Amino acid sequence: MMDWFSDLFSQCQAWVYETLVQPVVFGLGYGNLLEDAFDATGWLLVGLLQITVMLVFIGALERLYPAEPVTDRRAVRVDILYTLIHRLGLFRLALFFAIDPLWDALSGEMRLAGIETFQLDALWPGVTDVAWVSFLVYLVVFDFANYWLHRAQHGFEWWWQLHALHHSQRQMTMWSDSRNHLLDDLIIDSAFVLLARLIGVPPGQFIALVAVSQLLENLQHANTKLWFGAVLERVLVSPRFHRLHHSIGFGHETDGRGTLGGHNFAVLFPVWDVLFGTASFELRWDPTGVRDQLIEEGGRDYGRGFWAQQWLGLKRLVRRTS
Ligand SMILES: [Zn+2]
Ligand SMILES: [Zn+2]
């Protein structure tokens, strides 16, 4: 099944590349970037596939079984814009050009110092080099890193000023996963590209890992009352589990000194929250947002449009660090 799918995907990628991308890139005189353009085509296709799955399946769940009524369509439209920017390659392209030179310099230094990069799939020959086993191993390693990165986003005051934008959505939907400060995206996505290179994830597997994780993250943000039942809730993060993380005054509060409170920081596997004492499996669907947005708590403005949100995020950051 996985082989069949990856064959089909490669064929699509080759076709779009040869008929559309290659002639344009060549015509513009960027023949030296053809290899990068091929990778970019792959990411673009993955993004389109993700958005199709979202519209067809997750969208249906939101309509059939919503957690709350949609009263603020404009807030949802801004999140759709975030999703298009983040998933359809514009952001990835920038990242690619930012990370690649950095990585080349770093790995050159490491080679000079005699440090080899680690090949995680070579750990147990015959087992960890089987495609689906290595895929699961990478998924777990990435998710562990994700849990701690997410806790850091809440634990460091300066980082929270950026991540608060993600939490300021009071009308949460499947599009809200991508609602992040671009600087926050840059830090998190860079960390994952570097981690992938450090443990030797092959490019094809990396694309699949990112695609699967992101789709599950879209599902978790969906405006739906879906939960997975007492057992599966503890295996995979559900919309109910993640909505609790967004719950005002419960999911993500710090006491102002950077000390962590809050629940449900895991991205895919709730086991990290169970192990590190931050899990909550309560069946409740609270309003989402940040406490200081409430009128009685000062009514802080996190911005309505894309640029306002980005600008206010930078201002919060500067005020905290200066
Ligand atoms: Zn968070
Ligand atoms: Zn979230």
Side-chain angles (χ1 to χ4, degrees):
M1 174 72 186
M2 237 164 99
D3 285 345
W4 172 82
F5 185 77
S6 74
D7 281 351
L8 184 71
F9 184 83
S10 306
Q11 280 170 17
C12 286
Q13 185 180 3
W15 184 82
V16 174
Y17 174 72
E18 279 160 22
T19 46
L20 291 170
V21 180
Q22 197 179 30
V24 172
V25 174
F26 218 73
L28 291 172
Y30 291 111
N32 56 327
L33 292 181
L34 282 178
E35 208 178 307
D36 299 342
F38 184 73
D39 293 341
T41 310
W43 283 112
L44 183 73
L45 282 180
V46 166
L48 287 172
L49 204 66
Q50 285 176 323
I51 289 171
T52 309
V53 173
M54 285 171 73
L55 287 171
V56 174
F57 296 103
I58 310 178
L61 267 176
E62 289 194 331
R63 278 189 300 276
L64 287 173
Y65 201 38
E68 60 182 357
V70 177
T71 52
D72 188 354
R73 296 214 170 262
R74 181 172 173 215
V76 178
R77 278 201 296 275
V78 176
D79 284 1
I80 296 177
L81 178 68
Y82 275 104
T83 306
L84 296 180
I85 292 173
H86 191 253
R87 300 289 204 258
L88 285 189
L90 198 73
F91 187 78
R92 277 159 180 165
L93 215 63
L95 188 73
F96 187 81
F97 287 107
I99 290 297
D100 245 38
L102 179 70
W103 175 255
D104 288 342
L106 200 70
S107 56
E109 291 286 328
M110 282 168 64
R111 256 196 305 277
L112 280 179
I115 305 168
E116 294 285 320
T117 52
F118 180 63
Q119 292 291 319
L120 192 59
D121 63 350
L123 211 58
W124 186 2
V127 177
T128 47
D129 47 9
V130 176
W132 69 266
V133 178
S134 64
F135 185 79
L136 281 182
V137 172
Y138 294 141
L139 211 56
V140 172
V141 171
F142 270 73
D143 199 51
F144 180 71
N146 227 336
Y147 174 82
W148 284 106
L149 282 170
H150 191 187
R151 282 197 53 169
Q153 286 175 307
H154 288 263
F156 292 106
E157 259 311 291
W158 67 267
W159 208 346
W160 166 248
Q161 300 312 325
L162 296 177
H163 185 56
L165 169 53
H166 177 70
H167 281 275
S168 66
Q169 180 56 285
R170 317 227 24 214
Q171 182 79 75
M172 203 166 89
T173 66
M174 61 179 174
W175 306 101
S176 306
D177 179 51
S178 299
R179 175 198 173 96
N180 291 302
H181 200 280
L182 295 180
L183 202 56
D184 201 7
D185 270 339
L186 192 70
I187 300 170
I188 294 285
D189 289 7
S190 303
F192 282 108
V193 174
L194 290 178
L195 178 63
R197 303 263 193 130
L198 275 174
I199 61 175
V201 182
Q205 288 231 17
F206 183 62
I207 295 192
L209 276 169
V210 171
V212 168
S213 311
Q214 287 181 341
L215 263 181
L216 287 169
E217 287 168 50
N218 288 126
L219 174 66
Q220 294 157 15
H221 288 88
N223 173 24
T224 173
K225 251 190 161 145
L226 183 73
W227 71 299
F228 297 160
V231 178
L232 271 181
E233 279 284 304
R234 283 154 174 84
V235 179
L236 197 64
V237 171
S238 72
R240 181 211 58 84
F241 188 88
H242 192 65
R243 187 166 278 264
L244 267 189
H245 175 64
H246 281 258
S247 154
I248 302 176
F250 179 76
H252 52 85
E253 299 293 320
T254 66
D255 66 0
R257 294 189 299 273
T259 314
L260 191 80
H263 299 281
N264 300 5
F265 298 89
V267 177
L268 298 185
F269 307 123
V271 63
W272 312 122
D273 280 305
V274 175
L275 281 177
F276 302 112
T278 47
S280 166
F281 293 100
E282 277 181 60
L283 274 183
R284 42 190 262 200
W285 285 266
D286 301 339
T288 62
V290 185
R291 193 201 289 263
D292 63 11
Q293 283 177 293
L294 302 175
I295 302 297
E296 62 272 26
E297 299 280 345
R300 178 180 244 169
D301 178 24
Y302 284 84
R304 290 283 288 162
F306 176 83
W307 290 112
Q309 289 167 0
Q310 295 296 313
W311 173 242
L312 289 170
L314 277 184
K315 266 171 67 174
R316 285 193 304 273
L317 178 68
V318 169
R319 214 170 295 141
R320 282 289 160 168
T321 48
S322 61

